[in-house]
């Protein structure tokens, strides 16, 4: 079973969505707890810490962002936000507050399960010592610092290499502009979005077969980038 019986806590006030999530996740082999308010969610997480939290940002009793921040004071496992369309600023804020990812309502079960797999895989992999990463035709030997596309070695500048390996380390997860700028250029450059655009374009020209229709470096409009995980 892909889900390994992981325990998911759903914090969502809309009952139809909660029911839908409960049924779909149980059907995929997850164990599910559900609550309708932020306060109950925080209590439930403490009483029986889940492997993943799914949280709606629009809750009746507390701001979902506050629930997320309070959870992140101690909770280390993945948190995925359920958010409405056209709430890019809210999504960026949630990611800055420690959410791992988001799905935009209305979402499909397939999409949610894919996000869960990525989040769980990522949290299980922390500390592993894989030195070669392969995604599609792309191969990165992290120990030797060699990048190959279709078995052909390509040359990256140090910044391009750092940008690529930062994204690969978080493959499948959405990464905000600010996160990438901080990781690659350092904290003083966290507002310089144009650096990032220029280097992403350069990296796409080198690793993508068609830079206009990227297969690896996907744009998350208004938020950042996501490196394809498979
Ligand atoms: Ca809601």
């Amino acid at each position: 079973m892909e889900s390994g019986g992981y325990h998911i806590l759903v914090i969502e006030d809309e009952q139809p969505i909660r029911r839908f999530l409960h049924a779909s996740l149980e059907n995929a082999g997850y164990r599910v707890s559900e609550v309708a308010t932020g306060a109950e969610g925080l209590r439930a997480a403490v009483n029986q810490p889940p492997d993943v939290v799914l949280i709606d940002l629009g809750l009746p009793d507390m701001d979902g962002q506050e629930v997320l921040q309070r959870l992140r004071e101690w909770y280390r496992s993945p948190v995925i936000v359920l958010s409405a369309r056209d709430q890019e600023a809210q999504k960026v804020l949630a990611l800055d507050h420690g959410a791992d990812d988001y799905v935009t309502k209305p979402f499909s079960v397939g999409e949610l399960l894919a996000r869960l797999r990525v989040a769980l895989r990522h949290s299980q992999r922390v500390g592993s010592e894989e030195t070669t990463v392969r995604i599609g035709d792309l191969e990165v030997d992290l120990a030797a610092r060699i990048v190959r596309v279709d078995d052909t070695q390509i040359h990256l500048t140090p910044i391009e290499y750092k940008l690529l390996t930062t994204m690969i380390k978080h493959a499948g997860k959405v990464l905000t502009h600010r996160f990438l700028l901080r990781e690659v250029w350092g904290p003083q450059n966290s507002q310089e979005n144009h650096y990032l655009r220029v280097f992403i374009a350069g990296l796409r020209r080198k690793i993508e077969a068609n830079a206009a229709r990227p297969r690896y470096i996907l744009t998350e409009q208004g938020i950042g980038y996501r490196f394809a995980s498979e």
Side-chain angles (χ1 to χ4, degrees):
M1 198 187 309
E2 70 170 38
S3 52
Y6 288 112
H7 173 209
I8 318 266
L9 172 62
V10 176
I11 309 175
E12 161 68 78
D13 59 314
E14 285 174 68
Q15 197 188 48
I17 299 181
R18 224 165 51 231
R19 289 229 169 113
F20 163 75
L21 287 170
H22 200 138
S24 325
L25 293 171
E26 253 179 16
N27 203 32
Y30 292 103
R31 282 193 299 125
V32 183
S33 313
E34 49 168 277
V35 296
T37 66
E40 283 177 282
L42 288 170
R43 248 192 330 268
V46 171
N47 288 343
Q48 208 190 348
D51 297 299
V52 180
V53 174
L54 291 185
I55 179 171
D56 175 36
L57 289 180
L59 294 168
D61 61 325
M62 291 170 72
D63 181 352
Q65 301 282 359
E66 189 191 338
V67 180
L68 179 59
Q69 281 176 291
R70 293 206 10 211
L71 198 55
R72 272 296 179 237
E73 287 169 8
W74 63 274
Y75 182 74
R76 296 278 154 257
S77 297
V79 177
I80 298 177
V81 163
L82 310 171
S83 67
R85 196 180 291 281
D86 301 329
Q87 289 196 315
E88 273 64 32
Q90 284 289 313
K91 292 175 200 170
V92 170
L93 192 59
L95 294 164
D96 283 342
H97 286 158
D100 292 80
D101 213 328
Y102 59 80
V103 285
T104 303
K105 293 176 184 176
F107 50 84
S108 69
V109 176
E111 188 185 350
L112 176 64
L113 294 178
R115 293 277 188 276
L116 277 171
R117 275 198 301 276
V118 166
L120 282 163
R121 201 187 310 143
H122 194 75
S123 74
Q124 309 302 314
R125 201 173 47 198
V126 171
S128 92
E129 288 169 19
E130 280 173 38
T131 58
T132 300
V133 180
R134 282 183 201 82
I135 299 172
D137 292 331
L138 179 71
E139 183 184 297
V140 182
D141 182 333
L142 296 166
R145 303 176 73 103
I146 291 174
V147 179
R148 291 191 186 84
V149 176
D150 233 350
D151 295 324
T152 304
Q153 186 173 339
I154 57 165
H155 177 75
L156 298 183
T157 66
I159 292 277
E160 286 170 342
Y161 182 78
K162 192 159 181 201
L163 183 57
L164 177 65
T165 52
T166 300
M167 288 191 288
I168 281 179
K169 199 156 77 182
H170 302 278
K173 282 176 58 174
V174 64
L175 305 173
T176 62
H177 297 124
R178 192 192 332 199
F179 173 85
L180 286 168
L181 284 162
R182 217 171 37 209
E183 291 292 306
V184 178
W185 283 272
Q188 69 281 14
N189 293 309
S190 69
Q191 301 303 322
E192 307 285 347
N193 278 4
H194 65 277
Y195 287 2
L196 191 55
R197 270 200 303 279
V198 168
F199 278 86
I200 290 282
L203 198 49
R204 277 177 170 156
R205 279 196 295 275
K206 291 184 181 181
I207 68 167
E208 303 279 5
N210 178 354
R213 300 189 59 181
R215 178 222 180 289
Y216 299 111
I217 304 174
L218 312 175
T219 298
E220 293 278 324
Q221 211 57 54
I223 293 166
Y225 298 94
R226 183 187 301 273
F227 202 86
S229 62
E230 44 214 26

